[in-house]
Amino acid sequence: METQTGFTGSPKLSRGALVQLVDSVIGVEPSIVPFQYNPMTLSISIAPFNPNEVEQSGRGQIAPTSQPYEPKRTFTAEIELDATDQLADEEPVATNVGIGDRLAALEQLLFPSEGLIGELISAIGDLTGNPQPPKRASVPIALLILGPSRILPVRITNYSVEESQFLPSLDPMMAKVSLTMEVLTPDVFRCESGPSVEIARATYNFFQVQQATLAIAHNARNASKALSLLPF
């Protein structure tokens, strides 16, 4: 199904996606989950530091304008999945499991992973009696891609699915997936390293530079209007 904007001659839209970055022996191993349809709405919240919520006893007064870390930014979106077109085309995967493969790909973003190569190495080690040393389980970094101007490292903090319309096998044909994603700022990577961490830092910093540039351009266009509002 083609995405329509309702405007004649509108350009082809960019597809949003989530891209998981897994550090492996060959570098970064990406796992790409494209959105079938871009979300109709996107909620964004930014929570700055509030000095009034900090216990003041035993320390000096915190300035009311203090901001010791990057504000917490959260995205909330609803992603729609639909196997109708694939079923009409008699695609084997859709015929057997509906949208089950897409739901599984999204759910894998919530679990610790060593990537295909890392998990293969671990499996071989277990079979040969030479298991890999235990590692602290962690969820790989994911990049939220919302067009070329908004690419940010995130972690999914809430995931829920509403399934509807089912195949005779009870596999879902349609679903709405609600996602809450917290943006990972460079502050959270102070004790981390690796290729995926470097990519996460770079994408976040690039986004911040773009935002600052847009704000400067806006202020430049409206400088005369702002001056006219001043009483002096």
Side-chain angles (χ1 to χ4, degrees), residues 48-56:
F49 173 74
N50 186 351
N52 295 324
E53 295 178 350
V54 177
E55 176 62 43
Q56 302 293 333

Side-chain angles (χ1 to χ4, degrees), residues 37-38 46 99-100 108 110 116 131 149 156 161 223 226:
Y37 308 111
N38 287 336
I46 300 177
I99 57 169
Q108 285 304 302
L110 307 174
L116 293 175
S149 63
I156 298 174
V161 182

Side-chain angles (χ1 to χ4, degrees), residues 20-33:
Q20 191 177 57
L21 305 176
V22 182
D23 290 335
S24 71
V25 294
I26 62 170
V28 175
E29 186 180 321
S31 176
I32 304 172
V33 184

Side-chain angles (χ1 to χ4, degrees), residues 106-192:
L106 281 169
E107 288 177 7
Q108 285 304 302
L109 300 176
L110 307 174
F111 293 91
S113 174
E114 298 178 16
L116 293 175
I117 295 177
E119 290 172 0
L120 177 61
I121 293 173
S122 296
I124 293 173
D126 292 339
L127 289 173
T128 59
N130 297 300
Q132 297 292 307
K135 298 180 181 178
R136 184 178 62 180
S138 61
V139 178
I141 298 167
L143 296 181
L144 172 63
I145 300 178
L146 297 170
S149 63
R150 287 199 290 185
I151 302 176
L152 286 161
V154 298
R155 175 169 184 176
I156 298 174
T157 57
N158 189 63
Y159 173 96
S160 63
V161 182
E162 181 183 336
E163 298 178 351
S164 61
Q165 303 296 321
F166 297 88
L167 297 172
S169 62
L170 292 182
D171 290 295
M173 295 169 51
M174 302 178 183
K176 293 181 180 179
V177 182
S178 298
L179 298 173
T180 301
M181 297 158 284
E182 182 179 335
V183 174
L184 301 176
T185 67
D187 296 332
V188 305
F189 298 122
R190 288 177 180 172
C191 300
E192 304 290 335

Side-chain angles (χ1 to χ4, degrees), residues 14-15 32 49 84 115 142 164 166 172 179 199 205 211:
S14 299
R15 287 283 181 213
I32 304 172
F49 173 74
T84 303
S164 61
F166 297 88
L179 298 173
I199 292 173
N205 291 334
Q211 293 295 94

Side-chain angles (χ1 to χ4, degrees), residues 76-90:
T76 303
E78 188 174 83
I79 309 301
E80 295 189 6
L81 303 176
D82 187 342
T84 303
D85 291 344
Q86 291 73 33
L87 289 169
D89 294 336
E90 298 183 347

